[in-house]
Amino acid sequence: MTEEQPATAPDIDPEQLRAAVEQLGKALRAWAEAVAPVVRAAAQALAQAAEAARNARPDDYALAPPPVAPRDRPAWQSPYGPARPRKH
């Protein structure tokens, strides 16, 4: 059996590492500055929607179903008659 050599750390130039970290920091700051207005606008829109929901009355919902009319038969009784047996 051969014995494996332990992995050695790569030689890293400290100046090159500092420059890479600085470039990454600049890129992240630029991204954050670019995204911030969109995030603020989305947060404001959500706050407005939440406020509208808190202040809404039940009749303000245009998509709400109409009130249920009284039934002339029990819920289990179909207007189409009994169910037909399934064919397999």
Side-chain angles (χ1 to χ4, degrees):
M1 287 192 171
T2 60
E3 198 172 301
E4 291 185 27
Q5 297 295 325
T8 58
D11 291 330
I12 298 174
D13 180 19
E15 185 61 31
Q16 200 175 20
L17 179 62
R18 187 198 58 75
V21 169
E22 187 176 314
Q23 285 179 345
L24 180 61
K26 285 180 183 178
L28 287 175
R29 278 188 294 280
W31 178 82
E33 289 174 9
V35 171
V38 175
V39 172
R40 284 189 196 104
Q44 186 177 11
L46 285 172
Q48 289 173 350
E51 184 66 24
R54 279 192 293 272
N55 296 332
R57 295 183 312 265
D59 57 339
D60 288 341
Y61 294 103
L63 299 178
V68 177
R71 296 182 157 263
D72 58 347
R73 62 186 164 279
W76 55 266
Q77 188 178 11
S78 169
Y80 306 106
R84 296 191 176 170
R86 288 187 172 181
K87 296 179 183 178
H88 294 292

